[in-house]
Amino acid sequence: MEELFEGLLNDHLGFVVWAAVAFIILLILLGKFAWKPIMAAIADRERSIEDALLKAEAAKEEMARLTNENEQLLKEARKERDQILNEARHLKDQIINEAKTAANVEGARMIEHAKLEINNLKAIAMADVKNQVATLSIEIAEKVLRKQFADQAAQDELVADLLKEVKIK
């Protein structure tokens, strides 16, 4: 077997050496022209993937921040809306109360004015009634006196009675 092994080595030894030299040359050429660009491309791809992951993480953080900020703004907007609604309700109540107060004051003023007007008209009516009563009384007295004074004896008797009632002091 040794002979067979030696024969194979001697015949094929040159082939193995040339194959090894060709493989080493191929490795050098691939290392110089292909391996470096392939490794550079792989490194660039790793960097771009890493950058993309970092950018995605930053975008995720920014999205979370914006979401929180939006929630905060929404809470503030709701709070401001509630405050505005409360102020509007308070203002409405205040306006209603002021209107009621003004209406009550105006109503009281109108009632007082109406009472004064009624009292004035009543006084005018009473004065008119008194004038009419006085006029009627004078007319009745005049008619009574004319009838009484138509008779001369009745006139003399009336004068005598009046003189008796009047006392000189």
Side-chain angles (χ1 to χ4, degrees):
M1 254 296 168
E2 258 182 59
E3 287 179 14
L4 183 64
F5 188 65
E6 227 177 88
L8 283 174
L9 277 177
N10 286 337
D11 291 336
H12 293 294
L13 187 60
F15 177 72
V16 170
V17 170
W18 283 112
V21 170
F23 184 71
I24 291 172
I25 291 173
L26 180 64
L27 279 178
I28 292 171
L29 286 175
L30 282 176
K32 187 171 186 180
F33 295 111
W35 190 257
K36 285 182 183 178
I38 289 173
M39 291 308 286
I42 289 174
D44 285 345
R45 180 71 178 149
E46 280 181 17
R47 276 194 302 274
S48 68
I49 289 172
E50 232 176 84
D51 288 345
L53 287 173
L54 289 174
K55 286 180 183 177
E57 187 65 31
K60 183 178 174 183
E61 289 173 5
E62 180 69 16
M63 193 62 124
R65 187 186 65 77
L66 287 174
T67 301
N68 288 338
E69 191 175 302
N70 283 343
E71 287 294 323
Q72 187 65 27
L73 288 174
L74 191 59
K75 286 178 185 177
E76 288 176 12
R78 286 181 182 142
K79 185 177 180 181
E80 189 173 329
R81 178 203 64 195
D82 291 343
Q83 183 180 2
I84 289 171
L85 287 174
N86 285 336
E87 288 175 6
R89 283 186 198 109
H90 177 70
L91 186 60
K92 175 194 77 162
D93 292 342
Q94 184 179 359
I95 290 171
I96 288 172
N97 288 337
E98 287 175 1
K100 284 180 181 178
T101 303
N104 288 338
V105 167
E106 182 65 20
R109 189 192 64 77
M110 290 175 75
I111 289 171
E112 191 61 34
H113 180 71
K115 284 180 181 179
L116 287 173
E117 189 71 26
I118 289 169
N119 286 338
N120 288 340
L121 291 174
K122 186 177 169 182
I124 291 170
M126 287 300 284
D128 189 38
V129 168
K130 285 180 183 179
N131 286 338
Q132 287 179 3
V133 167
T135 303
L136 285 175
S137 296
I138 290 174
E139 287 178 5
I140 290 171
E142 183 181 340
K143 287 181 182 178
V144 168
L145 286 176
R146 280 193 186 155
K147 194 171 188 180
Q148 267 188 341
F149 290 128
D151 180 17
Q152 187 62 34
Q155 285 181 14
D156 290 339
E157 188 180 320
L158 180 63
V159 170
D161 285 340
L162 286 174
L163 287 175
K164 287 181 192 174
E165 288 179 14
V166 176
K167 295 183 181 177
I168 299 176
K169 296 182 183 180

